[in-house]
Amino acid sequence: MLEPFFKTHEEVDKYFNKVTESLLILKARIIALYKSDKDSIEYFALYDSILTQVRALFIENNRYKNNYTVQVFLNKLGLSKTSEEIDTYLNSEFKPGISVRDAIKTSVDRFIVHYDYVSNEEEHIEEICREHLTDMNNEFFIGRLVDIISIHMILSYVKRMNNWEINLLEDKQ
């Protein structure tokens, strides 16, 4: 069995900084996407990069309890409610039977990182993903997800750190 993620506050800070930096880079890519011409190679490269980074940060197989996703980080801090909210969003449906999680996973795995045979259904999922995640007016706009998760994560981390400070003071008494 793997050791828990964090043994010291410094390890928490280091991982928090890593995740925060990744979220800031992701946000910068989303902003750059909207400054790009929708028909340009830059737009498609940014889109692929954004979707791949979202998959890496938020979507992993549940059987890997110690993988480096934002949800695992929050769970390790005892902030499972925020983690569950992220998963609720990811499990919500774009269309009947197609969750945000499945659409992103299919788009990245089948159209970006692997070039295998794809079915008509997978092509349809990729089109839905591209259409919904890049539309600023859509409830599933990926920028909104990143903003909400960033805010939750930072607020949760600050709350947890405040609790740790209190606990550390209590331990000294």
Side-chain angles (χ1 to χ4, degrees):
M1 183 159 158
L2 295 173
E3 290 292 315
F5 257 11
F6 313 115
K7 295 180 181 166
T8 66
H9 295 296
E10 291 77 23
E11 289 179 8
V12 174
D13 290 339
K14 183 178 177 181
Y15 190 69
F16 176 80
N17 291 338
K18 178 181 177 179
V19 171
T20 301
E21 180 181 352
S22 294
L23 288 170
L24 290 172
I25 291 168
L26 182 56
K27 181 67 176 177
R29 287 178 178 153
I30 291 168
I31 291 168
L33 179 80
Y34 283 95
K35 292 180 179 179
S36 306
D37 176 14
K38 278 195 165 200
D39 294 324
S40 71
I41 191 74
E42 177 185 35
Y43 182 90
F44 290 105
L46 284 165
Y47 173 79
D48 287 355
S49 175
I50 290 165
L51 223 58
T52 302
Q53 192 172 6
V54 167
R55 177 156 176 6
L57 282 169
F58 305 109
I59 302 172
E60 273 296 340
N61 192 316
N62 287 334
R63 69 179 168 209
Y64 303 119
K65 300 297 181 199
N66 286 320
N67 60 26
Y68 284 88
T69 62
V70 172
Q71 296 95 307
V72 168
F73 175 69
L74 293 170
N75 286 333
K76 295 290 184 181
L77 292 177
L79 303 165
S80 59
K81 184 176 182 210
T82 302
S83 176
E84 289 168 7
E85 289 175 11
I86 294 169
D87 285 329
T88 297
Y89 170 83
L90 292 171
N91 293 330
S92 60
E93 292 186 336
F94 276 144
K95 302 283 182 186
I98 303 172
S99 70
V100 174
R101 177 186 312 274
D102 291 340
I104 292 171
K105 189 172 182 328
T106 297
S107 290
V108 171
D109 293 354
R110 303 296 283 164
F111 293 88
I112 299 172
V113 298
H114 301 288
Y115 294 110
D116 299 327
Y117 170 80
V118 293
S119 68
N120 289 339
E121 180 182 346
E122 289 168 327
E123 286 179 359
H124 179 66
I125 290 170
E126 196 278 334
E127 288 170 12
I128 290 170
C129 196
R130 189 173 298 271
E131 175 185 321
H132 288 275
L133 294 178
T134 60
D135 179 0
M136 292 177 80
N137 297 316
N138 190 290
E139 67 180 301
F140 296 108
F141 170 56
I142 201 68
R144 189 171 301 118
L145 167 69
V146 171
D147 288 344
I148 290 168
I149 289 170
S150 299
I151 290 166
H152 273 287
M153 195 184 89
I154 291 168
L155 290 175
S156 296
Y157 180 74
V158 168
K159 179 182 173 189
R160 179 63 180 204
M161 290 308 294
N162 284 334
N163 288 339
W164 278 347
E165 288 174 17
I166 292 167
N167 290 338
L168 291 172
L169 289 174
E170 289 173 355
D171 289 343
K172 291 181 182 178
Q173 294 177 347

